[in-house]
Amino acid sequence: MPTIVVEVMPKAELLDPAGKAVAGALRREGGHPFSDVRIGKRFELTVDGEVTDAVLEQAQKLAHEMLSNSVIEDVVKVTVA
Amino acid sequence: MKIGVVTFPGSLDDRDAQRAARIAGAEPVALWHGDHDLKGVDAIVLPGGFSYGDYLRCGAIAARSPIMREVIDAANSGMPVLGICNGFQVLVEAHLLPGGLIRNDHGDFICRDQGLRVENASTAWTNGFTQGQEITVPLKNGEGGFIADAETLARLEGEGLVAFRYTGLNPNGSLNDIAGLTNERGNVVGLMPHPEHAVEPGFGPDTDEAMRSGVDGLTFFTSVLQHTLARA
């Protein structure tokens, strides 16, 4: 069955304490060029049947209304896997 | 008067809220998240805890549970609704109050007796306080940082919708030290600290007079009694 992937990230201007904690651990690790980390969410929606434009639109709506909270997060991707 | 307390899967402080209602002189009524029945209550408390394990976002799944349809309708028609901690998060996710709550800026869970200033003493749940009164109730949360965009924040401040502000050190990075909000009508109030844990001498926060004697939280429940009786 096809899968639609939704990715949600904390808003760029907001503090991401989980990402910050990982970034701190990375800094202690050293020996790499990675200066920052932000942590988001990935949802995989299993679709019964074909992914039509209407289904994709439903996924967009779900992504914005339930899977994310626009006060604190952005939907950055809704695609067919 | 009947105060309903909704139990969601993962609610922790539902029994404490029922007890607070009883101590204040109301009849507590247990409400169930999966029902569509408010059982004739006059006011509703959404209690603290970790509904649905805080999955998705704190309060997000509870805000979409069956009974919330009735709670939202009741709130919109003026019934007093109080959201405590996770209940506040549910109110925000249900769009009954604006803004959002995110992980504490320091990353730690915090549990302590917290000073608050009552910024709006004319709501259904705060009319027994005086404007600007300073109170102490327990605070215990990991995701209590209140945020909102600049426009919303200006509106909250301009229209007197900030119900409570933290005094002393800001415990979680909340913008403008906001601890709790009310809606325009004053019937819906949400806050991160726990008034239901400060209702009985011997079990509340320490005061200058005696250890664990703080009962500032009781006024939330006597306020809603007063509010409801005044309208009856």
Side-chain angles (χ1 to χ4, degrees), chain B residues 1-5 17 20-22 24-27 41-45 78-82 121-129 186-189 217-232:
Chain B
M1 170 187 178
K2 293 179 180 178
I3 299 181
V5 179
R22 190 178 304 115
E27 178 191 338
V41 299
D42 306 290
I44 298 168
V45 177
M79 186 185 289
V81 177
L82 176 67
S122 56
T123 78
W125 298 92
T126 60
N127 60 70
F129 294 113
N187 64 309
V188 178
V189 171
L218 190 59
T219 305
F220 286 73
F221 299 90
T222 51
S223 290
V224 78
L225 238 77
Q226 190 56 43
H227 169 88
T228 305
L229 294 176
R231 291 158 62 100

Side-chain angles (χ1 to χ4, degrees), chain A residues 6-18 38-43 62-77, chain B residues 54-58 60 64 92-93 95 99-103 143 147-149:
Chain A
V6 176
E7 287 179 6
V8 173
M9 291 296 290
K11 278 193 189 297
E13 67 271 24
L14 285 184
L15 191 66
D16 166 20
R38 292 184 71 76
I39 299 179
K41 292 177 191 158
R42 174 188 167 103
F43 301 86
L62 183 73
H64 285 91
E65 289 177 3
M66 183 181 181
L67 301 182
S68 70
N69 176 344
S70 64
V71 177
I72 58 178
E73 297 165 319
D74 292 319
V75 176
V76 294
K77 193 198 252 184
Chain B
D54 278 351
Y55 295 164
L56 189 59
R57 295 175 304 279
C58 300
R64 290 158 178 83
V92 166
E93 281 286 348
H95 306 295
L101 292 146
I102 59 170
R103 190 165 292 280
E143 305 202 21
I147 58 156
D149 59 40

Side-chain angles (χ1 to χ4, degrees), chain B residues 52-141:
Chain B
Y52 294 90
D54 278 351
Y55 295 164
L56 189 59
R57 295 175 304 279
C58 300
I61 300 178
R64 290 158 178 83
S65 61
I67 202 164
M68 283 305 293
R69 208 186 307 158
E70 281 70 27
V71 172
I72 290 167
D73 285 350
N76 286 333
S77 55
M79 186 185 289
V81 177
L82 176 67
I84 301 169
C85 196
N86 190 223
F88 183 21
Q89 294 163 336
V90 173
L91 289 177
V92 166
E93 281 286 348
H95 306 295
L96 286 171
L97 292 173
L101 292 146
I102 59 170
R103 190 165 292 280
N104 296 346
D105 58 353
H106 45 71
D108 292 329
F109 191 95
I110 191 159
C111 180
R112 70 177 191 208
D113 293 341
Q114 177 66 48
L116 300 175
R117 191 168 52 246
V118 180
E119 297 283 358
N120 184 335
S122 56
T123 78
W125 298 92
T126 60
N127 60 70
F129 294 113
T130 54
Q131 190 74 20
Q133 186 176 342
E134 299 208 351
I135 63 172
T136 302
V137 298
L139 174 77
K140 44 168 195 172
N141 66 67

Side-chain angles (χ1 to χ4, degrees), chain B residues 24 29 35-36 59 76 94 129 137 154 161 167 192 200:
Chain B
V29 176
D35 290 344
H36 281 290
N76 286 333
F129 294 113
V137 298
L161 303 181
T167 59
M192 288 312 296
E200 189 176 11

